[in-house]
Amino acid sequence: MKTKTALFLAGAAVLATFGPALAEDKPKIEVLTSWTSGGEAAALGVLKSEFEKRGGEWKDSSIAGFGAADAAFQNRIVAGNPPGSHQIVIGLPLVDFAKQGLMSPIDEVAKAGKWDQVLAKSVYDLISYDGKAYLAPTGAHGESWVFYRKDIFAKVGITDEPQTWDDFFVALDKLKAAGILPVAWGGQAWQEAKVFNMILLSQVGIDGFLKIYVDKDKSEASLKGIEKTLEILGRLRGYVDEGAPGRNWNDATAMVITGKAGVQFMGDWAKGEFTVAGLEAGKDYGCMLAPQSDGMVYVADSFSFPKLADGGATPAQKLLAEVVMDPKVQIDFALKKGAIPMRSDVDKSSLDVCAQKGLALMSAGKIVPDQAIILTPQQAGALSDFVDEFWSNASEGSAAGVEAFYGIFK
Amino acid sequence: MPSTRRRPIAATAALAPTWVVVAVVYVGTMIWSISMSFTDSTLFPSSNYVGFAQYAKLFTTPKWLAALRNEVVFGTLYVSGCLVLGFLLAAALDRRVRFESVFRTIFLYPYAMSFVVTGLIWQWMLNPTLGIQANVRALGWDGFLFNWIVDRDMAIYTIVIAGIWQGAGLVMVMVLAGMRGISAEQWKAALIDGIPVWRIYASIVLPQLRASLTAAGMILAMGVIKTYDLVVAMTGGGPGNATEVPAKFIMDNLFQRQNLGLAAAGATVLVLTVIVVVVPIRYALHVRGARRSAAQ
């Protein structure tokens, strides 16, 4: 019995010594993402085939649903059995893990690839912790978009994209008068929070936006901006249908596609639905920034690299980081996923007009991060609660709402 | 005294694994959860003691307070509604109707199906632009209004309706079994005395069904605490906080908002509520049982 145990231990020790050496022959990585829908899976496939082309071995452990994938990842990392890479939103979500020493930095790869020069400064800061790069960003999504069908706008007599909120409401009234539901509203808290953010950006500007979320600024200008945001949001209540509560974003997009509704506020992933329906960006449907916006709210995904062994990132993890940031891969990935490439030096000719607009804003630094990037999950959840409660409670005034807004930081 | 006689060793040994499981899995995790509620744990368990701060935060969170209110409304109406409807269904079937087993299956079927599936169908039916309201209007009754599910004040009642639809069948089966246990002699005697049927049910049958009704009530009450799929499938807690329930609040904080401490505090409050409700009932039943066995 004893000898057997000893043999077993010896065998394990031998494996432990040679195991990593063997693995180095063919870098192997297990990847956990939530990208399982058509376009998402195709985008992930771009990374996979490039990774395999460079001699790696890829194991996909993706789980449908961002929340479910996140929960699975948390369970695994707490249990000490993390995957080689996990899809994560850049910014604050990294901090908890990095602080606990559960992530490996990929600083060498970032330095070799001059990431600090090809990424916007604000993005580079958000993939770093304590001065070291930890995340390989895959692509960004603009979230300040208003989607509409060009022929419907023309039919009801809206000739130009409205530049101010007042014009915007005039346009909505025209749609209403023509018997078209003005706004396809997705009545779920996370969607409503995105609309809140795009209006807020249009009212307080890029600096004001960051001041409110990062510094929790309570100056007169900020308070006024939030109040006006809530006013505009409240006005929108009169332009939605009663089937809105609980509606999925893609159902709302379908209402715009079929001409039942005029506009939808959504992130650029909605383009995927238009494409499937055979509509072309800039020709059949338009994407405009929310009125009066001088920038764009964005969210960006990345790959994180959980610590698998002492001594930093494994060769497979480094290889994946290189693949993700490859200029060609960035473009192919963005095309498949409807995203905006993170690198500013890519060939943008193959992107559609919406993505080109987004990329121009990103390169110019005219972007603000969405709540998933700058708020803790608790605060981001509280923000959704706040907006949802304000939206569904028509009797709540915007002045009272301002006070409630700052409750999300508690 | 028979009750103090020692149990055979074999029985003790056979029960030992169960006791270990109970101690480690149930009691152990419960103690762990309660201890987590006194820490500032977020994504990872932390041992940083913060006293009752999580509870203070919990009871200033509008969503949690709304969830508790909804739980009371839902729990009261759901349990009483299921018991009343289940009893009426059982009484109807007890009249020896034709095709009894067919009806029994139909009424029990909702309980056998996952609510994630049936909840979606409820959601479609209740959705004012797709379901009942839209269809009745299409038939020509333009003013027809049935938009409870999107109405903040009424949404919780749609959850109650769907819940009763699901739970009443279970009560029916349990009560029907109880009714069949009542001897035919009692019925004959009562009918000879000229007592109306409804009166027989109210004054003779009902009192004898206490055991089945208590059991059914207990199962339903536990269902109330666990209510999660019902709400997620139908409304997702909305509009606003209108149909939020504590179990959903806890799950959201645990898995989406990385707020372990707050979720643990919520879970602890739920456990305490259960204890506060169940212990007096158990005690009363125990006292009554002891009294009865003393009288015999």
Side-chain angles (χ1 to χ4, degrees), chain A residues 74 242 377-378 385 389 392, chain B residues 63 133 152 241 257-258:
Chain A
Q74 280 168 33
E242 62 177 351
Q378 296 94 297
D385 288 352
E389 195 50 23
S392 59
Chain B
K63 203 165 190 150
Q133 178 178 310
R152 282 169 66 84
N241 292 337
R257 304 194 174 173
Q258 304 179 349

Side-chain angles (χ1 to χ4, degrees), chain A residues 67 70-71 74-75 77-78 93 96-97 100 102 189 241-247 376-378 380-382 384-385 388-389 392-394 410, chain B residues 41-45 57 61-63 123 127-129 133 137 145 147 149-150 152 235 238-242 249 253-259:
Chain A
D70 243 22
Q74 280 168 33
N75 285 339
I77 201 165
V78 169
D96 255 344
F97 294 108
Q100 300 263 341
L102 292 168
D241 64 329
E242 62 177 351
R247 180 180 287 144
T376 65
Q378 296 94 297
S384 294
D385 288 352
D388 193 31
E389 195 50 23
S392 59
N393 189 359
K410 278 190 193 134
Chain B
S41 309
T42 52
L43 174 55
F44 298 101
K57 191 175 168 201
T61 305
K63 203 165 190 150
Q123 189 196 326
N127 183 312
T129 52
Q133 178 178 310
R137 283 186 182 180
L145 201 65
N147 60 354
I149 202 166
V150 296
R152 282 169 66 84
T235 61
N241 292 337
F249 180 92
N253 274 288
L254 209 47
F255 292 112
Q256 286 173 14
R257 304 194 174 173
Q258 304 179 349
N259 213 343

Side-chain angles (χ1 to χ4, degrees), chain A residues 248, chain B residues 109-110 113-133 135 146 149 158-159 161-163 165-166 229-235:
Chain A
N248 291 318
Chain B
Y109 223 84
M113 301 219 300
S114 159
F115 213 95
V116 174
V117 180
T118 50
L120 204 60
I121 298 170
W122 274 101
Q123 189 196 326
W124 288 335
M125 283 197 333
L126 295 169
N127 183 312
T129 52
L130 295 173
I132 297 171
Q133 178 178 310
N135 279 290
F146 185 56
I149 202 166
T158 62
I159 307 274
I161 292 171
W165 169 80
Q166 194 200 24
D229 49 356
L230 191 63
V231 173
V232 170
M234 279 178 66
T235 61

Side-chain angles (χ1 to χ4, degrees), chain A residues 151-187:
Chain A
D151 52 342
I152 300 277
F153 261 33
K155 200 175 86 186
V156 302
I158 306 165
T159 44
D160 296 312
E161 290 180 348
Q163 297 301 314
T164 67
W165 282 103
D166 286 334
D167 289 350
F168 188 74
F169 281 107
V170 170
L172 292 186
D173 284 328
K174 278 184 189 164
L175 285 163
K176 208 180 199 174
I180 296 167
L181 174 69
V183 180
W185 188 262

Side-chain angles (χ1 to χ4, degrees), chain A residues 185-351:
Chain A
W185 188 262
Q188 293 171 341
W190 68 272
Q191 298 182 53
E192 290 159 356
K194 293 205 186 306
V195 182
F196 174 85
N197 270 345
M198 64 177 96
I199 304 175
L200 182 65
L201 178 62
S202 77
Q203 295 304 305
V204 298
I206 290 170
D207 293 338
F209 190 94
L210 291 173
K211 252 200 225 156
I212 289 172
Y213 279 121
V214 179
D215 310 331
K216 290 129 189 88
D217 176 62
K218 273 188 153 182
S219 68
E220 196 58 37
S222 296
L223 294 177
K224 195 89 202 132
I226 295 167
E227 191 176 344
K228 278 171 91 179
T229 302
L230 291 175
E231 264 170 41
I232 294 172
L233 189 65
R235 252 177 104 183
L236 284 171
R237 288 190 196 117
Y239 296 91
V240 309
D241 64 329
E242 62 177 351
R247 180 180 287 144
N248 291 318
W249 69 267
N250 47 343
D251 294 335
T253 312
M255 292 168 73
V256 176
I257 291 173
T258 55
K260 279 192 199 123
V263 303
Q264 183 192 14
F265 302 94
M266 197 27 71
D268 52 19
W269 48 87
K271 289 189 301 186
E273 303 289 312
F274 284 96
T275 309
V276 169
L279 301 185
E280 200 182 308
K283 190 166 141 260
D284 303 312
Y285 72 96
C287 47
M288 55 176 270
L289 284 181
Q292 289 169 263
S293 303
D294 57 352
M296 174 180 79
V297 186
Y298 82 99
V299 69
D301 291 308
S302 66
F303 277 116
S304 67
F305 302 96
K307 197 175 198 171
L308 297 176
D310 290 329
T314 66
Q317 290 179 323
K318 286 181 192 163
L319 178 61
L320 178 61
E322 281 168 22
V323 166
V324 164
M325 277 293 283
D326 181 88
K328 176 86 175 51
V329 169
Q330 285 259 320
I331 273 286
D332 290 347
F333 181 90
L335 284 174
K336 289 272 182 346
K337 194 156 184 288
I340 304 167
M342 301 300 289
R343 295 178 71 113
S344 47
D345 60 344
V346 293
D347 171 27
K348 54 188 109 174
S349 56
S350 50
L351 295 171

